[in-house]
Amino acid sequence: MPSSLSTPQRSLAALLVSFAASLLIAPHQTRAADPPGIRILVPGFTVTELPIQLTNLNDLAYAPDGRLFAAGYDGRIHLLRDTNGDGLEDQVQEYWNQPTLRTPLGLAWTTEGLYVVVNGKIVLLKDTDNDGRADAEQTVVSGWAKDDGFTGGGVDAVGIAFDKQNNLYFGLGCANFANAYRLDNGKPRYDLASERGTILKVSPDRKTREIFCTGYRFSINMAFNRHGDLFATDQEGETWLPHGNPRDELNHIQRGKHYGFPPRDPDHLPNVENEPPVIAFGPQHQSACGLIFNDSSPAQKRFGPRDWEGDAFVCGFSRGKLWRVRLAKTDQGYVGRHTLFAQSDLMPFDAAISPAGDLIVSCHSGPPDWGTGPQGQGKLFKIRFTNDSLPQPVIVWAASPIEVRVPFDRPLPVAAGAIATSLAGQSIEFGPHVRAADRFENLKPPYDVVKRQESSPRGKLPIVAARLTDDRRTLVLTTHPHPQPVHYALSLPAALIGDDRPGETLELDYNLHGVDASWTSEPSTSQPPPASPSTSAKPSWRGWLPVADLAASLEFLRGSADHEPLRELARAPGRLTHHSRHITDPHNTEPPHHEPLWVPPLQPESLPASPPPELAGGDWQRGQQVFLSSEAQCSTCHAVRGAGGKIGPDLSNLSHRDPGSIVRDVIDPSAMINPDFVSYTALLKDGRSLSGVLRPETGDRLRLLDTNAKDTVLQLSEIESLRPSSTSIMPAGIDKKLGPDRMRDLLVFLTQPDPSAAASPASGGQPPAAQPSPAPASSSQART
């Protein structure tokens, strides 16, 4: 969002931020050489830049007759028309050009005229003489307290929406985002009765208003959905306040709720409960702004495929994001799933849907967070759904540790051989801050946390095999075991769905959230009861669901052939059973979720290693003997310098590790398990139980390596379930078995080069340089 800098300061800041942003581009990403635009990440769409030139626009609104109104950051209101019938607005007319509107951040067309939310007031603009230009300005709401002077960029009143009774809703930015509790000599001055940092409800006659909810930072945009429920975006606040909106949010706005900025605090704000968001957009610093619901009506067509009806679209300003959000209403409230729909090289602020069903997006120019300001050149893009014949991806999930499924809404038109060939040698990127289409993200907000996100580990999960189900509607990928409960980004060639545009891809992401569930149908009354009360009925269906609520899951899974049997079964009485863990954020800042029991536990942050023991007196040759001994059994699982087993990590690079951390790993091997070497227990359908490290072989079998180096190949059809172990496959207590002297020898062998090489004539009397083997994809260091 705009800063509080003056215009000259903002120009200098923009230059500095532009330079900083160029330094923040991750090594795996490249800056686009072509003029900025919008890249659609799903099939069937075209994007066209409107042939007009305007300064940066904040808000868009269509009138029922098709006229497009656009609020300029500089306070001018424009009227845009399509003059040649090609569906693209090509003519601009100033609808309002008086210096009375500062920082428009809300725009809505009603039968009364055009409502505009600006700094200090909400006005109604009217065209009383019907000449196509507003000539009357009526202030309908005003008189609220000013902020503390730190909001920045003129941001004050934000967002606007009307309910069916013509009540008006709008937001007021918080009093001081840099001091949310408004501490004065340690004492908080934050007041729940203050209108700052709230969403307000104004009566139909516009004479009275009330605080509808509190705890808001900047509700830049808000809208009612087809059920008559109000939603609003809010922006990340943890940069300025710990746990104060750690992510940008989409919230269901309810009377009397508190939305977490500032959050509950035992000293500063004890009498509230933080309402978790329906959607938390990540990673941190997205700047959620525009919000529009895709609700068709006699005056407006739906945008996109049929199944997109009712979804919301949200603009992520700072990083060029456009999300599609599906919402499901349950007895416990709304749950949602968001999909990255498009990536822009500019900063999208707002979106609107035309009567013809096209999505128009207003974008600011310049680098985040401030851009080029009110006088900068902005752009408008129109996105059209032009090809309804291509299969659309429905959702992505990990069905097991080694299987990813991608259902489509119709059969894929490619041969099975082409599937395997196109994905041969491919991998899935993963990490805590990984998201779909990261390589196309050119905008990097200038914050330390963003730099840390860029430097965080990113791994590659190899794809071993790929196939289609018999109905050709689901792509099944066999992978190496998913090592961590983080985010995974999958890029698929668009040719898989029959899209022949060269180089085009489908960009999808997923995490390991979800429910391993089973459905057991109840017997009909005409059937006899079970012979014994202890007899358990066999589940009629078992599989993955995105959330615990069945109705919400089926809403998110529209079009998934994998779940059509469950949809049919659920029409009759039955019982849904969860086989998953419930995960709740202790700070109540993220939506709660479930994880299947096979998901590996999240590893804690690595703690500082204990002081290393003295290596003096240790002997390399004796250490080698310890490593190879049947007592220690190190070489059964680990290799060093090319010799040894391959069940555990290669230890050849330990010469680059702190000896103290190596001691910690040997003494307590379960403290930090290398994600690539998590042990799994395979329960077989014949009753056997096998444990070891998984290594998928092909699409229908996998290999299990146990601690005795025994190698077992299993058909997937033999396996009932796979569960990760929270303990390392490496046994603990080796330090007690070996004693301090032999442990010292072992450490010398693992961390020091072979001393005999120094005397070798072939090496010229110099010890050979260490040749560490490559680190596992998910970790920069191998582990014992």
Side-chain angles (χ1 to χ4, degrees):
M1 283 302 298
S3 74
S4 57
L5 302 177
S6 64
T7 300
Q9 289 173 318
R10 187 180 296 114
S11 299
L12 176 59
L15 290 174
L16 294 174
V17 172
S18 178
F19 175 70
S22 69
L23 297 179
L24 287 171
I25 300 298
H28 66 284
Q29 296 167 335
T30 57
R31 185 176 290 280
D34 296 330
I38 293 179
R39 176 186 291 268
I40 307 300
L41 306 175
V42 292
F45 294 85
T46 58
V47 183
T48 306
E49 181 182 341
L50 293 190
I52 56 177
Q53 291 188 349
L54 288 169
T55 56
N56 288 321
L57 301 174
N58 286 353
D59 298 282
L60 304 170
Y62 273 100
D65 61 7
R67 291 179 299 163
L68 175 61
F69 292 89
Y73 192 174
D74 58 7
R76 293 182 296 160
I77 308 298
H78 309 280
L79 176 58
L80 283 64
R81 287 190 174 94
D82 171 18
T83 62
N84 58 13
D86 65 353
L88 302 176
E89 285 79 3
D90 53 20
Q91 182 190 75
V92 180
Q93 174 183 317
E94 285 190 339
Y95 189 74
W96 184 262
N97 192 19
Q98 301 299 315
T100 59
L101 308 181
R102 183 187 178 202
T103 318
L105 284 172
L107 198 65
W109 173 264
T110 73
T111 55
E112 302 171 83
L114 188 67
Y115 277 85
V116 189
V117 179
V118 298
N119 188 304
K121 59 185 178 181
I122 299 177
V123 302
L124 178 61
L125 300 180
K126 296 182 178 181
D127 176 11
T128 60
D129 57 7
N130 295 315
D131 66 350
R133 289 179 172 84
D135 48 53
E137 175 189 345
Q138 176 188 349
T139 299
V140 293
V141 187
S142 63
W144 48 78
K146 293 184 178 297
D147 60 44
D148 292 349
F150 295 97
T151 297
V155 180
D156 180 42
V158 287
I160 187 170
F162 297 87
D163 64 18
K164 293 180 179 179
Q165 291 73 41
N166 199 29
N167 293 293
L168 183 157
Y169 298 78
F170 76 102
L172 282 178
C174 61
N176 185 345
F177 65 80
N179 181 15
Y181 293 113
R182 306 181 73 193
L183 298 179
D184 185 2
N185 292 322
K187 296 183 178 180
R189 293 191 297 113
Y190 178 84
D191 184 3
L192 286 169
S194 168
E195 291 184 330
R196 301 303 314 192
T198 70
I199 291 177
L200 296 138
K201 178 181 179 181
V202 183
S203 61
D205 61 9
R206 313 299 183 235
K207 293 182 179 180
T208 61
R209 65 177 182 258
E210 61 174 301
I211 294 175
F212 197 70
C213 71
T214 59
Y216 244 82
R217 187 166 175 255
F218 293 114
S219 53
I220 297 299
N221 226 319
M222 59 187 70
F224 282 92
N225 69 357
R226 55 186 169 181
H227 301 296
D229 293 319
L230 181 62
F231 287 79
T233 57
D234 200 5
Q235 301 195 334
E236 176 271 336
E238 183 149 340
T239 298
W240 299 274
L241 180 65
H243 308 306
N245 291 5
R247 302 290 182 272
D248 288 80
E249 299 177 348
L250 178 64
N251 293 308
H252 173 209
I253 304 304
Q254 302 168 78
R255 184 189 299 273
K257 299 287 187 179
H258 183 83
Y259 289 89
F261 192 86
R264 173 186 171 87
D265 182 89
D267 298 319
H268 304 322
L269 190 59
N271 298 320
V272 299
E273 293 294 335
N274 299 331
E275 183 70 13
V278 175
I279 295 290
F281 301 103
Q284 192 176 346
H285 280 297
Q286 300 289 338
S287 188
C289 289
L291 168 64
I292 183 75
F293 279 101
N294 193 18
D295 294 326
S296 61
S297 68
Q300 178 183 299
K301 294 181 180 179
R302 177 196 69 248
F303 170 66
R306 180 180 64 254
D307 280 345
W308 288 19
E309 175 80 31
D311 293 350
F313 292 94
V314 177
C315 299
F317 180 76
S318 287
R319 297 200 183 195
K321 299 292 198 301
L322 285 172
W323 292 287
R324 179 173 65 88
V325 181
R326 177 156 295 174
L327 299 166
K329 192 172 186 178
T330 74
D331 293 339
Q332 289 74 42
Y334 276 94
V335 292
R337 288 186 65 87
H338 61 289
T339 302
L340 187 63
F341 157 63
Q343 175 72 52
S344 175
D345 295 326
L346 292 165
M347 294 182 286
F349 199 100
D350 196 20
I353 299 175
S354 73
D358 301 327
L359 185 74
I360 188 165
V361 183
S362 64
C363 294
H364 285 209
S365 60
D369 264 1
W370 307 289
T372 50
Q375 304 307 317
Q377 182 73 40
K379 290 181 181 292
L380 285 167
F381 296 91
K382 181 160 281 188
I383 305 174
R384 290 166 158 175
F385 185 49
T386 55
N387 190 346
D388 194 23
S389 66
L390 296 175
Q392 292 286 339
V394 176
I395 200 169
V396 188
W397 78 90
S400 80
I402 59 169
E403 183 177 286
V404 175
R405 299 181 77 91
V406 188
F408 290 81
D409 63 355
R410 66 197 74 180
L412 297 189
V414 294
I419 293 286
T421 301
S422 63
L423 294 174
Q426 300 297 309
S427 60
I428 302 171
E429 191 171 35
F430 67 90
H433 304 299
V434 167
R435 297 296 190 277
D438 276 351
R439 66 186 184 281
F440 302 128
E441 184 182 84
N442 289 334
L443 300 171
K444 302 292 179 183
Y447 297 97
D448 286 341
V449 67
V450 177
K451 294 180 182 178
R452 294 196 296 272
Q453 292 168 8
E454 290 298 299
S455 62
S456 68
R458 286 173 174 259
K460 298 286 188 180
L461 182 69
I463 297 174
V464 177
R467 63 180 177 87
L468 287 177
T469 52
D470 292 341
D471 60 6
R472 310 184 64 79
R473 287 180 55 186
T474 303
L475 175 64
V476 183
L477 304 176
T478 301
T479 69
H480 281 203
H482 285 70
Q484 297 174 341
V486 291
H487 293 268
Y488 293 77
L490 173 63
S491 182
L492 297 174
L496 290 180
I497 60 166
D499 188 342
D500 57 3
R501 291 174 298 165
E504 289 298 313
T505 56
L506 306 182
E507 302 294 328
L508 310 168
D509 59 18
Y510 64 98
N511 52 36
L512 302 189
H513 296 178
V515 179
D516 178 12
S518 59
W519 176 269
T520 305
S521 298
E522 293 182 359
S524 65
T525 54
S526 61
Q527 293 177 333
S532 170
S534 63
T535 302
S536 58
K538 184 178 180 180
S540 310
W541 179 92
R542 182 160 184 174
W544 175 88
L545 297 177
V547 293
D549 186 273
L550 177 59
S553 287
L554 294 177
E555 174 70 15
F556 297 146
L557 293 165
R558 293 199 310 253
S560 169
D562 286 40
H563 296 86
E564 286 174 356
L566 174 63
R567 192 181 298 275
E568 291 301 316
L569 289 168
R571 299 180 188 277
R575 183 177 71 255
L576 185 71
T577 303
H578 296 166
H579 313 278
S580 302
R581 294 184 294 261
H582 182 73
I583 309 295
T584 303
D585 178 7
H587 301 292
N588 206 28
T589 57
E590 300 277 2
H593 65 272
H594 289 74
E595 291 178 355
L597 295 177
W598 64 259
V599 173
L602 183 65
Q603 295 297 325
E605 294 291 332
S606 180
L607 299 175
S610 303
E614 292 292 335
L615 298 184
D619 183 87
W620 193 94
Q621 298 290 347
R622 291 198 305 263
Q624 184 183 41
Q625 294 173 6
V626 172
F627 180 81
L628 297 172
S629 70
S630 59
E631 183 179 14
Q633 293 187 321
C634 300
S635 61
T636 302
C637 296
H638 300 282
V640 172
R641 305 173 188 94
K646 297 182 179 180
I647 298 173
D650 191 306
L651 306 182
S652 301
N653 65 352
L654 293 188
S655 60
H656 300 275
R657 286 271 309 274
D658 168 37
S661 67
I662 299 171
V663 172
R664 177 196 58 203
D665 293 345
V666 172
I667 292 175
D668 188 6
S670 297
M672 287 287 291
I673 304 173
N674 186 309
D676 283 346
F677 295 91
V678 171
S679 174
Y680 281 81
T681 297
L683 299 178
L684 306 185
K685 293 179 180 178
D686 62 9
R688 289 181 295 156
S689 175
L690 302 176
S691 296
V693 175
L694 290 182
R695 289 293 176 262
E697 292 238 311
T698 65
D700 59 358
R701 65 180 183 175
L702 56 81
R703 188 177 298 271
L704 201 71
L705 295 88
D706 66 17
T707 53
N708 296 317
K710 183 180 179 182
D711 190 332
T712 304
V713 175
L714 298 171
Q715 298 292 324
L716 294 181
S717 58
E718 299 179 71
I719 300 172
E720 181 71 30
S721 67
L722 286 171
R723 298 285 173 81
S725 174
S726 60
T727 59
S728 172
I729 193 172
M730 175 178 169
I734 190 173
D735 56 319
K736 297 180 174 62
K737 180 187 296 186
L738 297 179
D741 294 338
R742 299 177 72 195
M743 273 292 294
R744 186 183 300 114
D745 293 338
L746 178 61
L747 280 174
V748 169
F749 169 73
L750 293 174
T751 62
Q752 306 299 310
D754 184 353
S756 64
S760 170
S763 65
Q766 298 296 325
Q771 298 294 325
S773 62
S778 60
S779 174
S780 61
Q781 299 171 331
R783 297 186 50 80
T784 57

